[in-house]
Amino acid sequence: MKIYLTPYEKRKVSLVKALLPFLIILHHCYWLKGLAIFLNFGIILVSFFFLMSGYGLMASYENGGGETYLRSFLSKRILKVVIPYILSLTIWMVYVGLTSENLNWRCYFSTTNIGDWLPNSWFVWVIIIAYFLYWVVFRTDYSLRSKLILMAIISLIYYSIGKVLGIPPYWYRSSYCIVLGMLWRYWEVEILKKLDTIFIYFTLPIICAVFFGVCQIMHLKDITPLFVCVVFSWLMYSLRYTRINKIVGFLSKISYEIYLLQCIAIKMVCDFTTSTVIAVPLIFILDIILSYLVFSLSSKIHTSICSVKCK
């Protein structure tokens, strides 16, 4: 029996990037009638997001010439994360300010967790921290393997600090998936060789599903992202999706903004109606519109900043 594995390439990335934000929205709307099933999907979906981010970092490093890629990394990558966040936070502040009475913004920012200044945006700060640590570590003279080992150690330290300090689990529970994504890319050739055997190919997802279930029963949720990531990589190699239409391409391009602005779309729509049939489509549509506007504006700002630096 022949196993047909296909590369994890841009078209598959675009497909996942187009779908994932909307599943996250359904997760955050679990309290709407009929959507309770999405309540426990959060850690799975976030693990996918971080895994893809880590893979992308490593692939960009390898394809971008290593040190050459790192020279412009902060200005390109960090700004692309920060600028849309600031614009989204501004929109949130305007809307909440207009719809709330006697809101004290100084009190809001001083008493609200930084990850909830813009609701559900904690992942932005995790990504920024990961990007900065990646930039610092990969600028060293160590070998690539040593750099990855160092990133793994730092990730474990970050996880341990979060655990000891008692910060909300979502800040650290799946954060190590970023490093898993980097390791996935680094060992991709060897992984494909192992998967190209019938026994491993068919037993791997079953074993992961069993361990995932055991971890859920024993309340070992911090370990579950590991099995989720393995199954995701297996699924990507098994997927034979080769065509990207304009809709998928468009949604994948603004996927980050969709993540950011979902809280605004959810609040705007649910302030008006909580009917699932009406609310969900309206949230999707409003989020897409806002995301496109923020994406367009942030792209112009980013281009302007980079052009000034070049001069």
Side-chain angles (χ1 to χ4, degrees), residues 9-183:
E9 38 81 33
K10 191 173 181 179
R11 288 171 292 185
K12 293 181 181 179
V13 174
S14 295
L15 177 62
V16 178
K17 285 177 65 178
L19 293 176
L20 208 54
F22 298 101
L23 295 175
I24 291 286
I25 291 174
L26 294 176
H27 164 68
H28 287 139
C29 291
Y30 70 89
W31 46 272
L32 290 176
K33 186 177 180 180
L35 298 184
I37 189 175
F38 291 97
L39 174 60
N40 295 318
F41 275 58
I43 191 171
I44 296 175
L45 300 173
V46 172
S47 297
F48 289 169
F49 174 78
F50 283 152
L51 183 72
M52 293 173 65
S53 298
Y55 184 98
L57 279 178
M58 197 65 194
S60 297
Y61 178 80
E62 292 177 347
N63 298 331
E67 187 61 34
T68 304
Y69 170 70
L70 292 176
R71 287 196 198 105
S72 59
F73 176 78
L74 289 182
S75 61
K76 288 184 177 180
R77 280 281 189 144
I78 299 291
L79 284 178
K80 284 185 177 180
V81 172
V82 172
I83 294 173
Y85 172 79
I86 293 174
L87 294 175
S88 301
L89 179 59
T90 302
I91 296 173
W92 170 256
M93 291 175 64
V94 170
Y95 179 74
V96 173
L98 292 173
T99 57
S100 303
E101 295 182 4
N102 302 320
L103 179 61
N104 186 318
W105 283 111
R106 180 178 293 181
C107 180
Y108 176 85
F109 285 114
S110 63
T111 59
T112 304
N113 185 305
I114 190 173
D116 289 322
W117 284 356
L118 178 66
N120 304 320
S121 66
W122 60 270
F123 71 94
V124 174
W125 299 100
V126 175
I127 286 292
I128 290 174
I129 292 170
Y131 280 4
F132 180 74
L133 292 174
Y134 161 83
W135 180 74
V136 171
V137 170
F138 273 68
R139 281 172 61 88
T140 64
D141 294 327
Y142 298 132
S143 66
L144 184 55
R145 181 185 291 270
S146 298
K147 291 175 181 177
L148 288 170
I149 292 173
L150 186 55
M151 283 295 295
I153 293 172
I154 293 173
S155 179
L156 290 175
I157 292 173
Y158 171 82
Y159 170 87
S160 301
I161 291 174
K163 193 84 170 176
V164 170
L165 294 180
I167 65 174
Y170 52 77
W171 276 89
Y172 59 84
R173 180 169 283 165
S174 55
S175 61
Y176 63 84
C177 294
I178 297 173
V179 176
L180 289 180
M182 297 173 71
L183 293 172

Side-chain angles (χ1 to χ4, degrees), residues 83 145 189 199 220 295:
I83 294 173
R145 181 185 291 270
V189 174
F199 177 76
L220 299 173
F295 172 82

Side-chain angles (χ1 to χ4, degrees), residues 250-294:
F250 170 72
L251 292 176
S252 67
K253 186 168 63 175
I254 62 171
S255 62
Y256 173 60
E257 287 74 15
I258 295 176
Y259 285 118
L260 287 174
L261 292 154
Q262 60 175 291
C263 62
I264 302 173
I266 291 172
K267 181 166 177 56
M268 283 183 174
V269 171
C270 291
D271 281 349
F272 168 72
T273 179
T274 54
S275 168
T276 305
V277 176
I278 298 174
V280 172
L282 286 178
I283 290 169
F284 285 174
I285 293 170
L286 181 58
D287 199 356
I288 291 171
I289 293 172
L290 291 172
S291 298
Y292 176 70
L293 294 174
V294 169

